[in-house]
């Protein structure tokens, strides 16, 4: 692979930069079937770290993992009217199997509310069977013609949580609890500042009463929906007959929720932090936090490598994810370039002169180099990784704030969404929202929970704002 040529600069063509960095950092490649991608080991390792963090938080909040079938009878999807309408255009359907035409076509799951709803209708009889707190790690298929690795692919990996509760209050509490977990993953692990909020009626999940979301700003000013949590009310319970006998002996429908986060989140990490030299990975999710690059000539080779192995051992013992790049066939300069492209937070350079002085050079992916005593590195690096995380978060937050504007007129909105987020009042009317999308390609990303209270006229039609606060408009992935 040609690594000599630099990446296309972000400012020149962000989209091209994104595709190039994914290929050259060996995160993913295109599959033979249009719309599919292959996730390569380095990309998959990041996904595994995301999984690890989420899985732990899901279990800490009482959820258990389960697995439901990939194939869903078409009749199931038709039971919830909005749901089938929302997903039909992108369904993949199996009509033949085992050399025969099937009696009933099978949808390859686009999401699992229906099949889980069906099973719950058999499992849930009494208030004693509630709540049901399930999560599934798996793949889903939504047919896409335009491929963009991690953002738009026919098949993608995700987790989908599904819960059933006796009351509306409990279900709504669950919706917010899980959104908070996604926000925590973003802020505390991925160093991504996110805005938590409510989707408008137009943008909500097909079949939901309402949808909550976390939205992040990418370095081209566009938004990326990074995780969603839905209150489904009794919609799926009525469609699938999920009823229970309550303590008061009355038979009631359950209230359900669902929430999902996909490998889109990897796209968010790439586009929130990366720069013209490549990826910058948040240390808490990076497969490699520190790379050791020994620098030697033939006569110093043994000495330098021995010290490098010793340092690797000491850092691993501190729980750090360390890689020693001892490949003989590449120059140190080549290695520096490659690990920068792959976004490794810290590089330790070890040369014969450094060793004589009992030190090494620590280089940060955010810039800056400093000599440090070798013996101090196991102590110092965990602190430096935390500081790196904070700096990365602050950098992303500063960027978002510098590209967010309060606007009151339509022309100002059109201008602001070229750069980033526009905070404006909206009347809440779907038709008005659709026109704004047609005319500006921007959509309402969310009604932010933390938004400052206030009223004003709709940015397009002048009718009174519907939400008691400004909403976030942006172009989005
Ligand atoms: Zn309006």
């Amino acid at each position: 692979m040609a690594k000599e040529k630099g990446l296309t600069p972000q400012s020149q063509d962000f989209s091209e930069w994104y595709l190039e960095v994914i290929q050259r950092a060996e995160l993913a490649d295109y599959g033979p079937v249009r719309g599919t991608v292959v996730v390569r080991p380095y990309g998959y390792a990041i996904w595994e770290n995301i999984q690890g963090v989420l899985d732990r938080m899901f279990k800490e909040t009482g959820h258990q993992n389960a697995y439901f079938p990939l194939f869903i009878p078409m009749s199931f999807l038709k039971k919830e009217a909005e749901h089938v309408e929302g997903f039909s255009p992108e369904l993949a359907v199996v009509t033949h199997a085992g050399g025969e035409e099937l009696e009933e076509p099978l949808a390859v799951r686009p999401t699992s509310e229906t099949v889980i709803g069906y099973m719950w209708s058999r499992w849930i009889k009494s208030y004693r069977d509630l709540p049901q707190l399930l999560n599934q790690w798996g793949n889903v298929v939504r047919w896409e013609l335009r491929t963009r690795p991690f953002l738009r692919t026919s098949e993608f990996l995700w987790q989908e949580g599904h819960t059933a509760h006796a009351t509306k209050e409990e279900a709504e509490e669950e919706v917010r609890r899980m959104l908070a977990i996604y926000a925590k993953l973003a802020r505390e692990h991925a160093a991504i500042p996110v805005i938590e909020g409510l989707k408008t009626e137009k943008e909500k999940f097909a079949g939901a009463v309402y949808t909550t979301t976390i939205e992040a700003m990418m370095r081209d000013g566009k938004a990326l929906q990074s995780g969603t949590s839905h209150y489904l009310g009794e919609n799926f319970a009525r469609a699938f007959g999920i009823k229970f006998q309550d303590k008061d002996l009355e038979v009631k429908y359950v209230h359900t929720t669902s929430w999902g986060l996909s490998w889109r989140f990897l796209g968010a990490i790439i586009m929130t932090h990366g720069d013209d030299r490549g990826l910058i990975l948040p240390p808490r999710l990076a497969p490699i936090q520190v790379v050791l690059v020994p620098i030697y000539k033939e006569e110093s080779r043994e000495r330098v490598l021995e010290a490098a192995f010793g340092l690797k051992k000491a850092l691993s013992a501190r729980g750090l994810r360390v890689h020693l790049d001892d490949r003989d066939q590449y120059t140190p300069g080549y290695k520096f370039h490659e690990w920068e492209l792959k976004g490794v937070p810290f590089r330790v350079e070890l040369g014969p002169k450094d060793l004589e002085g009992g030190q090494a050079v620590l280089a940060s992916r955010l810039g800056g180099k400093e000599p440090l005593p070798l013996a101090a590195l196991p102590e110092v690096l965990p602190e430096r990784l935390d500081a790196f995380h904070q700096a990365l978060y602050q950098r992303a937050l500063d960027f978002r704030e510098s590209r967010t504007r309060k606007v009151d007129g339509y022309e100002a909105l059109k201008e602001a969404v070229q750069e980033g987020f526009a905070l404006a009042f909206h009347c809440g009317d779907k038709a008005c929202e659709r026109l704004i999308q047609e005319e500006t390609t921007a959509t309402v990303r969310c009604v932010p929970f933390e938004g400052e209270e206030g009223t004003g006229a709709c940015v397009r039609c002048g009718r009174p704002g519907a939400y008691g606060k400004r909403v976030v408009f942006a172009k989005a992935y």
Side-chain angles (χ1 to χ4, degrees):
M1 204 177 295
K3 292 212 173 84
E4 308 77 42
K5 197 176 138 276
L7 293 164
T8 298
Q10 290 185 337
S11 56
Q12 190 184 313
D13 186 341
F14 191 79
S15 180
E16 188 52 36
W17 171 86
Y18 178 75
L19 298 177
E20 279 177 16
V21 81
I22 282 174
Q23 289 269 342
R24 285 162 69 172
E26 297 178 341
L27 296 178
D29 203 346
Y30 299 99
V33 175
R34 194 171 158 187
T36 63
V37 292
V38 176
V39 180
R40 302 185 67 180
Y42 193 59
Y44 201 81
I46 306 172
W47 176 241
E48 282 181 315
N49 288 339
I50 294 169
Q51 281 186 304
V53 170
L54 279 181
D55 204 62
R56 181 173 48 74
M57 290 198 279
F58 294 163
K59 286 172 181 161
E60 280 168 3
T61 44
H63 302 83
Q64 291 180 304
N65 288 329
Y67 190 78
F68 293 82
L70 178 65
F71 302 113
I72 300 178
M74 273 304 284
S75 57
F76 279 27
L77 284 151
K78 289 176 184 154
K79 285 189 184 198
E80 214 289 331
E82 276 186 25
H83 194 63
V84 68
E85 197 194 315
F87 283 103
S88 283
E90 43 191 47
L91 277 187
V93 180
V94 181
T95 55
H96 290 75
E100 282 173 28
E101 186 171 349
L102 298 173
E103 249 173 66
E104 179 179 1
L106 303 173
V108 182
R109 68 174 166 229
T111 178
S112 302
E113 279 77 5
T114 56
V115 63
I116 292 175
Y118 170 78
M119 297 312 295
W120 274 341
S121 72
R122 318 172 109 211
W123 297 343
I124 300 170
K125 300 288 173 216
S126 147
Y127 69 91
R128 294 183 196 89
D129 303 323
L130 296 170
Q132 292 277 327
L133 305 173
L134 298 179
N135 176 60
Q136 165 167 288
W137 289 100
N139 56 344
V140 285
V141 168
R142 296 178 189 175
W143 214 251
E144 295 276 1
L145 293 176
R146 264 185 339 126
T147 319
R148 220 193 266 252
F150 304 123
L151 302 178
R152 207 171 280 283
T153 49
S154 296
E155 177 191 0
F156 59 85
L157 293 183
W158 75 343
Q159 61 69 217
E160 48 179 320
H162 296 269
T163 67
H165 306 263
T167 66
K168 177 173 189 278
E169 291 67 35
E170 270 181 45
E172 293 197 285
E173 216 175 275
E174 168 78 4
V175 169
R176 291 296 286 266
R177 182 182 304 122
M178 301 326 283
L179 191 77
I181 281 178
Y182 292 155
K184 189 170 176 170
L185 168 77
R187 295 186 185 120
E188 295 179 18
H189 297 270
I192 299 176
V194 288
I195 298 176
E196 290 158 87
L198 185 72
K199 285 285 182 193
T200 59
E201 277 294 301
K202 175 177 167 291
E203 298 286 326
K204 74 176 187 187
F205 176 75
V209 175
Y210 63 77
T211 290
T212 63
T213 178
I214 53 170
E215 301 282 329
M217 184 190 280
M218 306 298 99
R219 289 191 75 75
D220 60 351
K222 286 193 193 169
L224 185 81
Q225 174 184 303
S226 308
T228 48
S229 181
H230 319 287
Y231 172 58
L232 306 173
E234 296 178 355
N235 293 352
F236 286 87
R238 286 179 187 276
F240 288 90
I242 319 168
K243 287 181 273 191
F244 70 104
Q245 188 172 50
D246 209 348
K247 286 178 193 157
D248 58 14
L249 302 180
E250 255 183 75
V251 175
K252 299 172 183 170
Y253 285 109
V254 298
H255 292 256
T256 65
T257 82
S258 67
W259 25 276
L261 184 138
S262 77
W263 69 22
R264 264 187 148 233
F265 196 79
L266 248 152
I269 291 172
I270 299 165
M271 292 195 289
T272 299
H273 300 311
D275 66 11
D276 287 347
R277 286 187 292 152
L279 302 172
I280 300 180
L281 295 182
R284 292 169 194 167
L285 296 175
I288 300 171
Q289 297 169 310
V290 185
V291 63
L292 310 183
V293 182
I295 303 165
Y296 49 78
K297 297 221 168 62
E298 198 43 49
E299 68 275 12
S300 52
R301 184 173 182 276
E302 207 171 315
R303 220 163 8 110
V304 171
L305 280 180
E306 197 187 305
F309 275 110
L311 180 60
K312 184 188 174 198
K313 223 175 141 186
L315 295 178
S316 300
R318 294 296 300 240
L320 301 182
R321 295 189 286 274
V322 196
H323 176 69
L324 167 59
D325 188 353
D326 59 355
R327 293 175 297 175
D328 264 332
Q329 66 273 36
Y330 294 104
T331 62
Y334 181 94
K335 293 176 183 177
F336 292 179
H337 182 85
E338 177 173 332
W339 296 114
E340 274 177 6
L341 172 69
K342 290 193 161 186
V344 174
F346 286 104
R347 172 178 82 227
V348 177
E349 303 167 13
L350 274 164
K353 277 216 187 98
D354 299 317
L355 280 186
E356 272 166 34
Q359 61 179 31
V361 174
L362 183 68
S364 165
R365 181 61 180 82
L366 286 173
K369 269 191 181 196
E370 56 177 327
L372 282 169
L374 257 183
L377 280 170
E379 198 67 45
V380 167
L381 266 166
E383 292 162 19
R384 293 300 161 91
L385 285 163
D386 279 340
F388 190 102
H389 171 91
Q390 293 305 338
L392 202 58
Y393 181 84
Q394 195 58 45
R395 174 176 171 269
L397 185 62
D398 291 345
F399 180 79
R400 188 184 83 194
E401 284 174 354
S402 74
R403 297 250 196 152
T404 301
R405 275 164 56 191
K406 274 187 194 170
V407 298
D408 291 302
Y410 200 38
E411 288 312 309
L413 176 93
K414 283 181 187 169
E415 221 173 84
V417 295
Q418 300 301 327
E419 285 289 304
F421 291 180
L423 306 177
F425 292 105
H426 189 260
C427 61
D429 179 42
K430 266 191 195 178
C432 175
E433 209 176 318
R434 208 166 284 127
L435 281 174
I436 295 175
Q437 183 174 9
E438 281 164 20
E439 291 159 359
T440 69
T441 72
T443 48
V444 177
R445 302 317 304 156
C446 70
V447 183
F449 293 142
E450 299 291 316
E452 149 198 350
E453 311 275 310
T455 49
C458 173
V459 70
R460 189 182 185 285
C461 70
R463 282 177 285 178
Y467 306 102
K469 56 175 75 167
R470 289 170 189 268
V471 303
V472 180
F473 280 96
K475 299 188 183 201
Y477 282 97

